[in-house]
Amino acid sequence: MNAVYGPTSPDQIPASTQQDLRDRYLVEDLFEPGSVRTVVTHYDRVVAVGAVPTDAPLALEAVPEIRSEQFLDHREIGIVNIGAAGTVVADGERHTMATGACLYLGRGVRDVSFESDDAATPARFYGFSAPAHTTYPTALVEPGQGTVRELGDPLTSNRRTLNQYIHENGVRSCQVVMGVTQLHPGSMWNTMPSHTHDRRTEFYVYFDVDADARVVHLMGQPQETRHLIVGDGGLVLSPSWSIHSGVGTSNYSFVWAMAGENQSFDDMDGVAIVDMR
């Protein structure tokens, strides 16, 4: 599968139906067993990748929209494994990835493939790729070994552990910023109070969501919010003008990834809860 998502405007939100919103901002089938799927977007030229290898390795191949021989000829990619154990092979070098591990591959890596340790319980590799204008070295970060921030409070139902993996003070990249946030038991809110960051696009992939659970993801401009009901493996595209918050029916985890003007994690415009509509 290769899907293309064009740019959208906040002016489109008020007249959008729920199905319009889901069609434009939610990808529900990124992770399909036995295949590599790509979502090409015009949000900072980000391409999202989902790979679920089963009984054979899967190759990451270039897509027509990026006009290159190899996928990473002029791009970089951050990869997080949100499934069972697996391996990413990059130019012959094997990188074993446990659940929650993050791998950075820089511009110029030619051959990339994905493998699962066990086809019955496969890995699920999520890739976030953006244009790159120089090369940084390959780096693997084990789960919980990045820059760890403990945020929130059980009293406000938003106690969470945020792991920064690819960022300006961690694994170096041209513009990709990437990490994983895990909500603690009894906490369901993420990124509340909310914010926007006009200089970067951000994508969320929700995981560790039980089959009968959902996350209510808030989006849109702060004074014109809408929602998406998201299940496990759902990818939400968040333009720079949109908030991106969520509350689950139970605790969950998500991969957050950004690209754009800068890599400053704290470059954001906060929104007071009482000012949201």
Side-chain angles (χ1 to χ4, degrees), residues 197-217:
H197 25 71
D198 197 46
R199 288 150 294 281
R200 293 193 302 273
T201 292
E202 183 162 10
F203 289 3
Y204 276 15
V205 166
Y206 289 101
F207 68 104
D208 289 340
V209 181
D210 292 339
D212 59 350
R214 290 295 183 268
V215 176
V216 181
H217 180 92

PDB file of all heavy atoms in Angstrom, residues 197-217:
ATOM      1  N   HIS A 197       2.555  23.528  17.805  1.00  0.00           N
ATOM      2  CA  HIS A 197       3.890  24.059  17.489  1.00  0.00           C
ATOM      3  C   HIS A 197       3.903  24.350  15.995  1.00  0.00           C
ATOM      4  O   HIS A 197       3.995  23.457  15.152  1.00  0.00           O
ATOM      5  CB  HIS A 197       5.043  23.143  17.902  1.00  0.00           C
ATOM      6  CG  HIS A 197       4.721  21.698  18.013  1.00  0.00           C
ATOM      7  ND1 HIS A 197       4.478  20.896  16.929  1.00  0.00           N
ATOM      8  CD2 HIS A 197       4.613  20.897  19.096  1.00  0.00           C
ATOM      9  CE1 HIS A 197       4.240  19.667  17.331  1.00  0.00           C
ATOM     10  NE2 HIS A 197       4.310  19.638  18.631  1.00  0.00           N
ATOM     11  N   ASP A 198       3.792  25.628  15.709  1.00  0.00           N
ATOM     12  CA  ASP A 198       3.581  26.103  14.352  1.00  0.00           C
ATOM     13  C   ASP A 198       4.754  25.791  13.432  1.00  0.00           C
ATOM     14  O   ASP A 198       4.630  25.862  12.218  1.00  0.00           O
ATOM     15  CB  ASP A 198       3.330  27.613  14.371  1.00  0.00           C
ATOM     16  CG  ASP A 198       2.706  28.103  13.078  1.00  0.00           C
ATOM     17  OD1 ASP A 198       1.753  27.465  12.610  1.00  0.00           O
ATOM     18  OD2 ASP A 198       3.196  29.107  12.524  1.00  0.00           O
ATOM     19  N   ARG A 199       5.880  25.418  13.998  1.00  0.00           N
ATOM     20  CA  ARG A 199       7.077  25.192  13.187  1.00  0.00           C
ATOM     21  C   ARG A 199       7.339  23.712  12.903  1.00  0.00           C
ATOM     22  O   ARG A 199       8.323  23.369  12.269  1.00  0.00           O
ATOM     23  CB  ARG A 199       8.300  25.821  13.879  1.00  0.00           C
ATOM     24  CG  ARG A 199       8.280  27.347  13.807  1.00  0.00           C
ATOM     25  CD  ARG A 199       8.955  28.002  14.965  1.00  0.00           C
ATOM     26  NE  ARG A 199       8.268  27.775  16.232  1.00  0.00           N
ATOM     27  CZ  ARG A 199       7.181  28.445  16.618  1.00  0.00           C
ATOM     28  NH1 ARG A 199       6.634  29.355  15.829  1.00  0.00           N
ATOM     29  NH2 ARG A 199       6.612  28.197  17.788  1.00  0.00           N
ATOM     30  N   ARG A 200       6.456  22.821  13.369  1.00  0.00           N
ATOM     31  CA  ARG A 200       6.694  21.390  13.156  1.00  0.00           C
ATOM     32  C   ARG A 200       5.380  20.629  12.976  1.00  0.00           C
ATOM     33  O   ARG A 200       4.368  20.961  13.587  1.00  0.00           O
ATOM     34  CB  ARG A 200       7.441  20.771  14.358  1.00  0.00           C
ATOM     35  CG  ARG A 200       8.852  21.248  14.550  1.00  0.00           C
ATOM     36  CD  ARG A 200       9.590  20.354  15.540  1.00  0.00           C
ATOM     37  NE  ARG A 200       8.924  20.295  16.829  1.00  0.00           N
ATOM     38  CZ  ARG A 200       9.129  21.161  17.817  1.00  0.00           C
ATOM     39  NH1 ARG A 200       9.962  22.161  17.660  1.00  0.00           N
ATOM     40  NH2 ARG A 200       8.501  21.026  18.971  1.00  0.00           N
ATOM     41  N   THR A 201       5.450  19.597  12.159  1.00  0.00           N
ATOM     42  CA  THR A 201       4.394  18.600  12.043  1.00  0.00           C
ATOM     43  C   THR A 201       4.651  17.510  13.082  1.00  0.00           C
ATOM     44  O   THR A 201       5.798  17.187  13.384  1.00  0.00           O
ATOM     45  CB  THR A 201       4.412  17.981  10.635  1.00  0.00           C
ATOM     46  OG1 THR A 201       4.020  18.960   9.682  1.00  0.00           O
ATOM     47  CG2 THR A 201       3.499  16.771  10.533  1.00  0.00           C
ATOM     48  N   GLU A 202       3.587  16.928  13.628  1.00  0.00           N
ATOM     49  CA  GLU A 202       3.752  15.810  14.560  1.00  0.00           C
ATOM     50  C   GLU A 202       2.781  14.689  14.210  1.00  0.00           C
ATOM     51  O   GLU A 202       1.606  14.945  13.929  1.00  0.00           O
ATOM     52  CB  GLU A 202       3.554  16.250  16.010  1.00  0.00           C
ATOM     53  CG  GLU A 202       3.798  15.142  17.013  1.00  0.00           C
ATOM     54  CD  GLU A 202       4.031  15.632  18.430  1.00  0.00           C
ATOM     55  OE1 GLU A 202       3.832  16.839  18.695  1.00  0.00           O
ATOM     56  OE2 GLU A 202       4.422  14.810  19.280  1.00  0.00           O
ATOM     57  N   PHE A 203       3.272  13.469  14.234  1.00  0.00           N
ATOM     58  CA  PHE A 203       2.435  12.288  14.040  1.00  0.00           C
ATOM     59  C   PHE A 203       2.425  11.483  15.338  1.00  0.00           C
ATOM     60  O   PHE A 203       3.442  11.396  16.024  1.00  0.00           O
ATOM     61  CB  PHE A 203       2.978  11.386  12.924  1.00  0.00           C
ATOM     62  CG  PHE A 203       2.832  11.925  11.533  1.00  0.00           C
ATOM     63  CD1 PHE A 203       2.305  13.174  11.268  1.00  0.00           C
ATOM     64  CD2 PHE A 203       3.252  11.147  10.452  1.00  0.00           C
ATOM     65  CE1 PHE A 203       2.189  13.662   9.969  1.00  0.00           C
ATOM     66  CE2 PHE A 203       3.149  11.615   9.147  1.00  0.00           C
ATOM     67  CZ  PHE A 203       2.620  12.870   8.909  1.00  0.00           C
ATOM     68  N   TYR A 204       1.261  10.901  15.660  1.00  0.00           N
ATOM     69  CA  TYR A 204       1.128   9.974  16.784  1.00  0.00           C
ATOM     70  C   TYR A 204       0.781   8.588  16.248  1.00  0.00           C
ATOM     71  O   TYR A 204      -0.075   8.464  15.365  1.00  0.00           O
ATOM     72  CB  TYR A 204      -0.024  10.400  17.709  1.00  0.00           C
ATOM     73  CG  TYR A 204       0.269  11.440  18.756  1.00  0.00           C
ATOM     74  CD1 TYR A 204       1.397  12.241  18.732  1.00  0.00           C
ATOM     75  CD2 TYR A 204      -0.637  11.633  19.804  1.00  0.00           C
ATOM     76  CE1 TYR A 204       1.621  13.202  19.702  1.00  0.00           C
ATOM     77  CE2 TYR A 204      -0.418  12.588  20.783  1.00  0.00           C
ATOM     78  CZ  TYR A 204       0.712  13.382  20.720  1.00  0.00           C
ATOM     79  OH  TYR A 204       0.937  14.329  21.688  1.00  0.00           O
ATOM     80  N   VAL A 205       1.400   7.556  16.799  1.00  0.00           N
ATOM     81  CA  VAL A 205       0.930   6.180  16.621  1.00  0.00           C
ATOM     82  C   VAL A 205       0.609   5.627  17.998  1.00  0.00           C
ATOM     83  O   VAL A 205       1.489   5.527  18.867  1.00  0.00           O
ATOM     84  CB  VAL A 205       1.979   5.297  15.926  1.00  0.00           C
ATOM     85  CG1 VAL A 205       1.594   3.823  16.066  1.00  0.00           C
ATOM     86  CG2 VAL A 205       2.090   5.637  14.454  1.00  0.00           C
ATOM     87  N   TYR A 206      -0.647   5.282  18.217  1.00  0.00           N
ATOM     88  CA  TYR A 206      -1.082   4.734  19.493  1.00  0.00           C
ATOM     89  C   TYR A 206      -0.889   3.209  19.498  1.00  0.00           C
ATOM     90  O   TYR A 206      -1.211   2.526  18.520  1.00  0.00           O
ATOM     91  CB  TYR A 206      -2.554   5.063  19.745  1.00  0.00           C
ATOM     92  CG  TYR A 206      -2.806   6.523  20.056  1.00  0.00           C
ATOM     93  CD1 TYR A 206      -3.303   7.396  19.092  1.00  0.00           C
ATOM     94  CD2 TYR A 206      -2.541   7.029  21.325  1.00  0.00           C
ATOM     95  CE1 TYR A 206      -3.540   8.726  19.389  1.00  0.00           C
ATOM     96  CE2 TYR A 206      -2.771   8.359  21.633  1.00  0.00           C
ATOM     97  CZ  TYR A 206      -3.266   9.205  20.659  1.00  0.00           C
ATOM     98  OH  TYR A 206      -3.492  10.540  20.951  1.00  0.00           O
ATOM     99  N   PHE A 207      -0.358   2.691  20.599  1.00  0.00           N
ATOM    100  CA  PHE A 207      -0.221   1.238  20.736  1.00  0.00           C
ATOM    101  C   PHE A 207      -0.404   0.855  22.200  1.00  0.00           C
ATOM    102  O   PHE A 207      -0.652   1.712  23.050  1.00  0.00           O
ATOM    103  CB  PHE A 207       1.116   0.746  20.162  1.00  0.00           C
ATOM    104  CG  PHE A 207       2.359   1.170  20.909  1.00  0.00           C
ATOM    105  CD1 PHE A 207       3.038   0.273  21.714  1.00  0.00           C
ATOM    106  CD2 PHE A 207       2.867   2.455  20.782  1.00  0.00           C
ATOM    107  CE1 PHE A 207       4.198   0.635  22.391  1.00  0.00           C
ATOM    108  CE2 PHE A 207       4.029   2.838  21.460  1.00  0.00           C
ATOM    109  CZ  PHE A 207       4.688   1.931  22.265  1.00  0.00           C
ATOM    110  N   ASP A 208      -0.315  -0.431  22.501  1.00  0.00           N
ATOM    111  CA  ASP A 208      -0.673  -0.949  23.829  1.00  0.00           C
ATOM    112  C   ASP A 208      -2.115  -0.574  24.176  1.00  0.00           C
ATOM    113  O   ASP A 208      -2.456  -0.361  25.347  1.00  0.00           O
ATOM    114  CB  ASP A 208       0.271  -0.411  24.920  1.00  0.00           C
ATOM    115  CG  ASP A 208       1.667  -0.994  24.837  1.00  0.00           C
ATOM    116  OD1 ASP A 208       1.825  -2.062  24.213  1.00  0.00           O
ATOM    117  OD2 ASP A 208       2.605  -0.384  25.395  1.00  0.00           O
ATOM    118  N   VAL A 209      -2.969  -0.492  23.138  1.00  0.00           N
ATOM    119  CA  VAL A 209      -4.392  -0.216  23.322  1.00  0.00           C
ATOM    120  C   VAL A 209      -5.126  -1.547  23.235  1.00  0.00           C
ATOM    121  O   VAL A 209      -5.053  -2.242  22.211  1.00  0.00           O
ATOM    122  CB  VAL A 209      -4.918   0.763  22.251  1.00  0.00           C
ATOM    123  CG1 VAL A 209      -6.401   1.055  22.477  1.00  0.00           C
ATOM    124  CG2 VAL A 209      -4.111   2.062  22.246  1.00  0.00           C
ATOM    125  N   ASP A 210      -5.795  -1.930  24.302  1.00  0.00           N
ATOM    126  CA  ASP A 210      -6.526  -3.194  24.312  1.00  0.00           C
ATOM    127  C   ASP A 210      -7.550  -3.248  23.182  1.00  0.00           C
ATOM    128  O   ASP A 210      -8.052  -2.213  22.722  1.00  0.00           O
ATOM    129  CB  ASP A 210      -7.231  -3.402  25.646  1.00  0.00           C
ATOM    130  CG  ASP A 210      -6.252  -3.631  26.790  1.00  0.00           C
ATOM    131  OD1 ASP A 210      -5.093  -4.015  26.513  1.00  0.00           O
ATOM    132  OD2 ASP A 210      -6.641  -3.418  27.962  1.00  0.00           O
ATOM    133  N   ALA A 211      -7.887  -4.469  22.768  1.00  0.00           N
ATOM    134  CA  ALA A 211      -8.798  -4.644  21.638  1.00  0.00           C
ATOM    135  C   ALA A 211     -10.154  -3.983  21.866  1.00  0.00           C
ATOM    136  O   ALA A 211     -10.785  -3.501  20.910  1.00  0.00           O
ATOM    137  CB  ALA A 211      -8.977  -6.136  21.349  1.00  0.00           C
ATOM    138  N   ASP A 212     -10.613  -3.968  23.112  1.00  0.00           N
ATOM    139  CA  ASP A 212     -11.919  -3.371  23.402  1.00  0.00           C
ATOM    140  C   ASP A 212     -11.791  -1.961  23.975  1.00  0.00           C
ATOM    141  O   ASP A 212     -12.752  -1.420  24.537  1.00  0.00           O
ATOM    142  CB  ASP A 212     -12.716  -4.249  24.351  1.00  0.00           C
ATOM    143  CG  ASP A 212     -12.011  -4.478  25.682  1.00  0.00           C
ATOM    144  OD1 ASP A 212     -10.817  -4.104  25.800  1.00  0.00           O
ATOM    145  OD2 ASP A 212     -12.646  -5.038  26.603  1.00  0.00           O
ATOM    146  N   ALA A 213     -10.619  -1.346  23.835  1.00  0.00           N
ATOM    147  CA  ALA A 213     -10.386   0.012  24.335  1.00  0.00           C
ATOM    148  C   ALA A 213     -10.158   0.954  23.153  1.00  0.00           C
ATOM    149  O   ALA A 213      -9.908   0.529  22.032  1.00  0.00           O
ATOM    150  CB  ALA A 213      -9.183   0.041  25.267  1.00  0.00           C
ATOM    151  N   ARG A 214     -10.251   2.248  23.412  1.00  0.00           N
ATOM    152  CA  ARG A 214     -10.015   3.261  22.394  1.00  0.00           C
ATOM    153  C   ARG A 214      -9.395   4.497  23.046  1.00  0.00           C
ATOM    154  O   ARG A 214      -9.492   4.696  24.261  1.00  0.00           O
ATOM    155  CB  ARG A 214     -11.307   3.658  21.674  1.00  0.00           C
ATOM    156  CG  ARG A 214     -11.895   2.596  20.766  1.00  0.00           C
ATOM    157  CD  ARG A 214     -10.995   2.287  19.590  1.00  0.00           C
ATOM    158  NE  ARG A 214     -11.564   1.319  18.658  1.00  0.00           N
ATOM    159  CZ  ARG A 214     -11.370   0.011  18.719  1.00  0.00           C
ATOM    160  NH1 ARG A 214     -10.646  -0.520  19.723  1.00  0.00           N
ATOM    161  NH2 ARG A 214     -11.883  -0.790  17.809  1.00  0.00           N
ATOM    162  N   VAL A 215      -8.755   5.309  22.202  1.00  0.00           N
ATOM    163  CA  VAL A 215      -8.261   6.616  22.626  1.00  0.00           C
ATOM    164  C   VAL A 215      -9.079   7.675  21.901  1.00  0.00           C
ATOM    165  O   VAL A 215      -9.274   7.597  20.682  1.00  0.00           O
ATOM    166  CB  VAL A 215      -6.767   6.797  22.295  1.00  0.00           C
ATOM    167  CG1 VAL A 215      -6.300   8.200  22.669  1.00  0.00           C
ATOM    168  CG2 VAL A 215      -5.926   5.752  23.012  1.00  0.00           C
ATOM    169  N   VAL A 216      -9.576   8.652  22.640  1.00  0.00           N
ATOM    170  CA  VAL A 216     -10.265   9.795  22.048  1.00  0.00           C
ATOM    171  C   VAL A 216      -9.206  10.870  21.809  1.00  0.00           C
ATOM    172  O   VAL A 216      -8.730  11.508  22.755  1.00  0.00           O
ATOM    173  CB  VAL A 216     -11.390  10.324  22.960  1.00  0.00           C
ATOM    174  CG1 VAL A 216     -12.107  11.499  22.296  1.00  0.00           C
ATOM    175  CG2 VAL A 216     -12.377   9.215  23.290  1.00  0.00           C
ATOM    176  N   HIS A 217      -8.814  11.038  20.562  1.00  0.00           N
ATOM    177  CA  HIS A 217      -7.756  11.984  20.205  1.00  0.00           C
ATOM    178  C   HIS A 217      -8.387  13.324  19.826  1.00  0.00           C
ATOM    179  O   HIS A 217      -9.260  13.385  18.950  1.00  0.00           O
ATOM    180  CB  HIS A 217      -6.947  11.438  19.025  1.00  0.00           C
ATOM    181  CG  HIS A 217      -5.832  12.347  18.592  1.00  0.00           C
ATOM    182  ND1 HIS A 217      -4.553  12.246  19.087  1.00  0.00           N
ATOM    183  CD2 HIS A 217      -5.823  13.387  17.710  1.00  0.00           C
ATOM    184  CE1 HIS A 217      -3.793  13.178  18.531  1.00  0.00           C
ATOM    185  NE2 HIS A 217      -4.536  13.887  17.694  1.00  0.00           N
TER     186      HIS A 217
END
